[in-house]
Amino acid sequence: MSISPEDAARTLADVRTTQARALRAEPWFPAWYPVGVALFATGVTFVSEPGTDPAVTAGGIVVLTIALVGLVLRLTLTARMRAHRSLLEPAALTGFVVWVLASVGVAFAVAFPLDAAGVAYSGTYGCLVMTAFMAATGPLVGRWISSRLAAGVEQAKETR
């Protein structure tokens, strides 16, 4: 069977269009994932606060680590689609890193003043606010990154 260059180009363009649609259909990461990671950080902060019984700290770390492994396994085993790393452009990756750093900054902005005021478990409160921030903004960030990935596929379609 032979196919003309025009038919091959049209078929490839159709494939790229489908890829872009699929990338836009789902966020780059599920909203529950960064919330789960933030809850892990909150839990670690909680069990490692000064004055916490060492047995509680050790047991908590074990339980939290098992929960984190489960979270990662759920993400990797249930993902319906993974974008190839070649689609990740520096702007999208930078945006993600800035979002993560902003989330940590939110935690610090809450925890440090509380700690200075002598509030117990101030780090835990900061991490809880970070978790809420990630829950509120994570879906937007995931969709934004997906749209950037889709735009990259569409741009590749236009240049070929």
Side-chain angles (χ1 to χ4, degrees):
M1 174 197 314
S2 79
I3 186 168
S4 71
E6 294 80 21
D7 286 342
R10 189 172 31 261
T11 301
L12 183 58
D14 290 344
V15 167
R16 297 283 187 206
T17 300
T18 302
Q19 286 175 327
R21 245 192 334 249
L23 286 168
R24 280 197 175 87
E26 288 187 28
W28 187 53
F29 54 83
W32 55 263
Y33 185 73
V35 172
V37 172
L39 286 172
F40 170 79
T42 302
V44 168
T45 303
F46 176 75
V47 300
S48 63
E49 287 279 352
T52 304
D53 183 76
V56 171
T57 300
I61 296 295
V62 169
V63 168
L64 288 166
T65 301
I66 291 168
L68 182 63
V69 168
L71 187 74
V72 170
L73 286 174
R74 180 172 178 222
L75 177 69
T76 57
L77 297 176
T78 62
R80 296 185 338 186
M81 172 181 58
R82 287 190 186 95
H84 191 268
R85 67 178 171 265
S86 65
L87 292 177
L88 263 180
E89 60 182 26
L93 199 51
T94 300
F96 178 74
V97 170
V98 166
W99 174 69
V100 170
L101 292 175
S103 300
V104 172
V106 166
F108 287 161
V110 171
F112 289 151
L114 290 177
D115 186 55
V119 175
Y121 295 95
S122 57
T124 302
Y125 291 125
C127 283
L128 283 172
V129 173
M130 175 186 72
T131 301
F133 175 80
M134 291 182 109
T137 60
L140 301 171
V141 173
R143 291 270 179 212
W144 175 77
I145 292 173
S146 292
S147 70
R148 300 290 303 199
L149 293 171
V153 167
E154 289 170 339
Q155 185 179 26
K157 178 177 79 171
E158 293 169 3
T159 59
R160 292 183 184 189

